[in-house]
Amino acid sequence: MPDQMNSRPARLIVVDDDPDIRDLIVRQLQQEHYDVVPAGSLAELQDALAVHSADLIVLDLNLPDGDGLNLCRELRAQGSDVRIIMVSARGSAIDRVLGLELGADDYLTKPFEPRELLVRIRNLLRRAQIDDPERQRDKSARTASFGPWRLDLFQRRLIAEDGRLVMLSSAEFRLLSRFIDEPNVVLSRENLVPERRATAAFDRSIDLQVSRLRQKLAAMPGGEELILTVRGEGYVLARPVSFE
């Protein structure tokens, strides 16, 4: 079943001037029961946006009537928070960083596996739902419980089932907070450290921070498999979270 936005199937706009690629993507997304609107140019995309409220745009950068980068920048300047996945044959680090800096939420290099695009779409739509103010956790909650641990949200420390206390560094607390806000959702490096989104994909220090956090969580039986690696995608807190 597709992710839903406000109790309806998520509406996606697929923009690519290559009809074969566009039709392939549209068919696959329709099979997943998304509401999909195709567009072959920037003009068609703008016409679609004038009629449809979109939850996510799959945006090719090289279009016959302009550059997708400029449109992405314009949408963000207008205050649009629609999720955008850029797709392009330009695979250099500079192109990826530029796309993310101009407001894209993700960047996928052609050629790509259609299933990979589907996974990225699902993750972005889930995050959009979690970012919805109506879905935010109660800010008055004092603790978050997951597996054998409770996280004290005020004193920034872990509390084990046996009462043992484990202090967290500021970086570890921020990282764990991202996980507990989105349990059972695969988070890329960009999602884990959004303040460093432009360079996070290439920043291996994030992996080191995750490793250190894992070591602390592994101090309790059952804690060693709380944060799992999803190869090529990121990390996931594989436990439900409850707040008190």
Side-chain angles (χ1 to χ4, degrees), residues 3-226:
D3 302 270
Q4 295 199 346
M5 312 296 290
N6 301 323
S7 301
R8 61 167 174 77
R11 179 174 294 123
L12 316 180
I13 301 179
V14 176
V15 190
D16 199 303
D17 64 331
D18 186 320
D20 293 331
I21 295 176
R22 184 176 66 247
D23 292 346
L24 175 65
I25 296 173
V26 168
R27 284 197 303 270
Q28 179 167 18
L29 295 178
Q30 287 175 336
Q31 288 174 2
E32 298 294 327
H33 306 289
Y34 288 111
D35 180 2
V36 188
V37 178
S41 65
L42 290 181
E44 290 183 12
L45 170 59
Q46 290 167 338
D47 288 343
L49 288 173
V51 176
H52 305 283
S53 59
D55 300 304
L56 184 145
I57 301 173
V58 179
L59 178 62
D60 185 26
L61 295 190
N62 298 315
L63 295 166
D65 55 348
D67 193 320
L69 286 171
N70 292 330
L71 179 72
C72 182
R73 179 167 47 200
E74 290 172 7
L75 287 173
R76 295 307 185 222
Q78 295 166 6
S80 172
D81 61 356
V82 62
R83 271 16 189 199
I84 299 175
I85 298 180
M86 289 185 174
V87 293
S88 175
R90 310 179 207 168
S92 72
I94 293 176
D95 288 319
R96 178 184 175 89
V97 169
L98 180 59
L100 295 173
E101 285 183 338
L102 290 179
D105 297 282
D106 205 347
Y107 191 105
L108 194 55
T109 303
K110 292 182 179 180
F112 54 83
E113 288 292 332
R115 296 298 299 182
E116 179 181 0
L117 175 63
L118 180 59
V119 168
R120 294 182 184 228
I121 287 173
R122 284 174 174 166
N123 284 339
L124 282 178
L125 291 176
R126 286 183 187 133
R127 185 177 180 195
Q129 288 181 310
I130 291 170
D131 286 347
D132 187 331
E134 295 183 358
R135 296 175 57 94
Q136 292 291 333
R137 59 179 166 92
D138 184 355
K139 297 303 183 183
S140 66
R142 183 172 187 85
T143 62
S145 299
F146 55 99
W149 293 101
R150 284 186 299 132
L151 175 64
D152 187 322
L153 299 169
F154 286 80
Q155 297 189 19
R156 301 190 171 198
R157 60 186 182 179
L158 285 166
I159 307 170
E161 291 177 334
D162 60 6
R164 187 189 329 170
L165 301 179
V166 176
M167 302 307 296
L168 299 173
S169 68
S170 295
E172 290 166 344
F173 177 78
R174 286 195 300 270
L175 190 62
L176 185 53
S177 294
R178 291 290 299 119
F179 280 118
I180 66 172
D181 278 342
E182 301 188 56
N184 297 308
V185 175
V186 179
L187 300 176
S188 66
R189 294 187 185 90
E190 294 94 334
N191 288 337
L192 285 172
V193 285
E195 68 276 8
R196 291 154 55 190
R197 185 172 64 177
T199 59
F202 319 103
D203 189 346
R204 297 301 170 181
S205 68
I206 299 168
D207 300 324
L208 181 59
Q209 291 176 21
V210 172
S211 178
R212 289 173 176 166
L213 182 58
R214 277 172 164 165
Q215 290 176 9
K216 292 189 174 182
L217 295 174
M220 283 293 293
E224 63 277 0
E225 294 185 355
L226 285 174

